[in-house]
Amino acid sequence: FHTRSLLERCVEGSGQVHQLREQYRMHPSIAFVVSNLFYAGRLLTPQSVCVARKAVESRAMIWMDVNGREAAPERSYMNASEVSACAGVCASLRERVK
């Protein structure tokens, strides 16, 4: 059991901090917010990623209203209704990309 995250232990062990410069996974609109909030505007999204993501995604994110309640069956809280809704969205997206 550790009291510090793996990242903290790696930084402490090496004495160096490396910062991500380019990202390829987030929608460019979300990456822009993350870049400005946490990277002082230095996190960039390559133009090819911007073009590809915007060609297939009309929106950076959507909000879904899901009924259900949080429960902590183990140590962490979860909402089974939200899990089910997310799994359904993922299945739909998978079908769309086939």
Side-chain angles (χ1 to χ4, degrees), residues 53-97:
R53 293 296 294 260
K54 289 180 178 180
V56 296
E57 299 168 352
S58 60
R59 297 178 285 184
M61 72 171 88
I62 62 168
W63 295 100
M64 293 177 59
D65 189 15
V66 178
N67 291 319
R69 293 184 168 254
E70 284 188 339
E74 299 291 327
R75 300 174 86 183
S76 298
Y77 281 88
M78 65 170 277
N79 182 325
S81 298
E82 288 177 349
V83 171
S84 180
C86 289
V89 168
C90 289
S92 287
L93 291 173
R94 255 191 245 118
E95 287 300 315
R96 210 169 88 186
V97 240

Side-chain angles (χ1 to χ4, degrees), residues 19-22 34-36 38-45:
Q19 192 173 51
L20 186 64
R21 293 190 184 129
E22 286 188 338
V34 170
S35 177
N36 288 310
F38 302 106
Y39 290 82
R42 292 187 298 263
L43 179 62
L44 304 175
T45 302

